[in-house]
Amino acid sequence: MGDVTRTILILGGSWFLGRTIAESAVAQGFEVSTFRRGVSGVDVDGVTTLRGDRTNPDDLVRLASSGTWDAVIDTSSYIPRETLQLARALEPVTARYVLVSTVSVYEGWPLDPLTESSTVLDCPPDAGPDFGYDGDPGPSKYGFGKAGCENAVTAVFGSERTTILRPGVILGPNEYVGRLEWWLRRMQRGGRILAPGSPSRFVQPIDVRDVASFALSLDRGGIWNVASSGRETMGDMLGACRVITGSGGALEWITDEEWLASQRITQWTELPLWRTYKGAWAVDSTAARAAGLTCRPVAETVADTWAWLSDGGAAIDHERAGELGISPERERAVLESWDAYQLDHCGA
Ligand SMILES: NC(=O)c1ccc[n+]([C@@H]2O[C@H](COP(=O)([O-])OP(=O)(O)OC[C@H]3O[C@@H](n4cnc5c(N)ncnc54)[C@H](OP(=O)(O)O)[C@@H]3O)[C@@H](O)[C@H]2O)c1
């Protein structure tokens, strides 16, 4: 193990994961700088703010001349050739580069169970934003881009000085895609609540604070999947949402997923966090847990997200937030069709 990291530079740091890493690092006594444009999100108290655009070469020169760091933690890399420029600029002044990547880099995501040695999408380190393609399901330009970013950082820093984190779904306060928020607000509305699939399906969302602690605790190169152990279920998660919101609603589990899919409900977005593919919640995070990753119970993530929302918390306005949720009319229609289907087929 190397020396304990004390000075860090966060590339980003004002939305969700980057922001949580900044908060956690300040609380732990790290000297923290953040580099961003100053356009969106909030600066965490106690950080030194360095302003600039990661796509602008002059800003990168300025950034590299403003300090030296034990580690850079990059939560905002999406385009390989930009990441390559950044890594080159920061290599002389940074001991180690921690890249927040994603499970979407795997060729088999979300169809197959994944370990760190599963095949990764092929993307060169200098690829532009249009590299790759979007499958449905399967590979995405996002996944190709992140794979290229991994290659870019490794090409410059070498594998000993490159730490790659591949999280699955991250939830918690300040989450801007709004997956948990949608379910919490749906529970609050009450009535008959369409709950997709089996309540005993294992799920692996990870709390943003647990990802942040893990990112800050690592002091060596390597690649880690970052997901919870998968011992909790969809029933645990939605049940916790119902309880914490004081919902008088009833969860109506539609366990026949083939039937549900035949209603043309879009997995993952119309009913957030519902995915039937066998790899969606089969990310092996044994290595991360052996390296110190700890995961709080999903009920705590749910409760703290609700507390944040109830306290007026609002995530940044992100383009992806609008993707989510089924309308009340459509939900009612699907539940009515399900009632009729059950009467016909099960004699219920
Ligand atoms: N959410 C999930 O479930 C999930 C799952 C797997 C992996 N991930 C990964 O986790 C990370 C999530 O991070 P986050 O979005 O929460 O990070 P964040 O660091 O909190 O927010 C993104 C930051 O990027 C900055 N930024 C945007 N464009 C910039 C530019 N051109 N130059 C400089 N800074 C720029 C923004 O500030 P300004 O606008 O002020 O510049 C903002 O501070 C991502 O890498 C994502 O791929 C997420």
Side-chain angles (χ1 to χ4, degrees):
M1 303 277 274
D3 293 330
V4 174
T5 299
R6 299 311 304 172
T7 55
I8 60 169
L9 168 67
I10 300 171
L11 302 179
S14 67
W15 290 0
F16 175 44
L17 178 59
R19 173 176 173 170
T20 309
I21 292 173
E23 286 166 353
S24 181
V26 169
Q28 289 181 43
F30 287 81
E31 275 175 43
V32 186
S33 302
T34 56
F35 173 73
R36 65 185 189 94
R37 296 164 303 177
V39 168
S40 53
V42 297
D43 287 319
V44 168
D45 284 345
V47 305
T48 301
T49 52
L50 304 168
R51 293 286 187 242
D53 189 321
R54 57 184 294 142
T55 65
N56 181 329
D58 292 339
D59 289 355
L60 301 189
V61 172
R62 245 183 340 102
L63 172 64
S65 66
S66 54
T68 59
W69 295 279
D70 295 318
V72 54
I73 303 183
D74 185 353
T75 47
S76 52
S77 259
Y78 299 95
I79 300 169
R81 68 176 175 225
E82 288 174 12
T83 307
L84 190 60
Q85 276 195 129
L86 247 168
R88 283 180 178 147
L90 292 175
E91 193 278 331
V93 290
T94 309
R96 207 161 47 80
Y97 200 113
V98 182
L99 178 73
V100 177
S101 184
T102 164
V103 291
S104 297
V105 296
Y106 292 113
E107 197 175 85
W109 167 257
L111 298 174
D112 303 323
L114 299 169
T115 71
E116 284 86 352
S117 33
S118 300
T119 306
V120 168
L121 295 167
D122 197 8
C123 179
D126 57 354
D130 294 325
F131 191 90
Y133 57 91
D134 287 316
D136 182 23
S140 59
K141 283 189 179 174
Y142 167 64
F144 277 104
K146 286 288 209 181
C149 292
E150 290 187 3
N151 290 333
V153 176
T154 310
V156 176
F157 276 76
S159 47
E160 298 283 305
R161 294 167 63 208
T162 302
T163 303
I164 292 173
L165 304 183
R166 293 177 179 157
V169 171
I170 308 171
L171 300 178
N174 294 306
E175 195 252 313
Y176 52 80
V177 182
R179 295 170 170 132
L180 200 49
E181 177 175 350
W182 188 84
W183 278 112
L184 285 160
R185 297 206 189 279
R186 174 64 196 91
M187 296 295 162
Q188 187 181 34
R189 215 168 66 233
R192 295 182 73 195
I193 300 163
L194 195 173
S198 164
S200 56
R201 161 173 282 136
F202 291 110
V203 294
Q204 293 183 285
I206 186 156
D207 191 288
V208 64
R209 294 160 293 182
D210 295 332
V211 183
S213 299
F214 186 55
L216 289 167
S217 73
L218 288 166
D219 56 4
R220 60 197 154 108
I223 299 177
W224 285 277
N225 290 338
V226 186
S228 68
S229 60
R231 288 198 206 96
E232 294 187 285
T233 62
M234 198 72 174
D236 293 329
M237 184 165 62
L238 297 194
C241 290
R242 201 175 76 83
V243 169
I244 200 72
T245 54
S247 172
L251 288 167
E252 308 256 352
W253 292 95
I254 298 189
T255 51
D256 184 339
E257 296 192 315
E258 243 173 79
W259 182 87
L260 191 54
S262 74
Q263 303 303 298
R264 297 178 192 279
I265 292 183
T266 317
Q267 296 190 25
W268 209 235
T269 52
E270 248 185 313
L271 288 172
L273 301 167
W274 173 54
R275 229 176 202 180
T276 56
Y277 309 120
K278 73 176 189 297
W281 300 113
V283 177
D284 184 354
S285 61
T286 314
R289 280 179 286 118
L293 172 69
T294 56
C295 303
R296 70 198 68 208
V298 73
E300 193 177 321
T301 306
V302 166
D304 291 347
T305 304
W306 184 241
W308 163 69
L309 289 168
S310 304
D311 201 28
I316 59 131
D317 188 16
H318 195 271
E319 58 191 10
R320 294 195 57 200
E323 297 176 351
L324 293 186
I326 186 172
S327 71
E329 299 72 33
R330 190 149 144 69
E331 182 189 41
R332 197 174 317 116
V334 172
L335 283 168
E336 283 167 9
S337 300
W338 174 240
D339 292 341
Y341 175 82
Q342 282 190 303
L343 271 178
D344 283 355
H345 289 79
C346 315

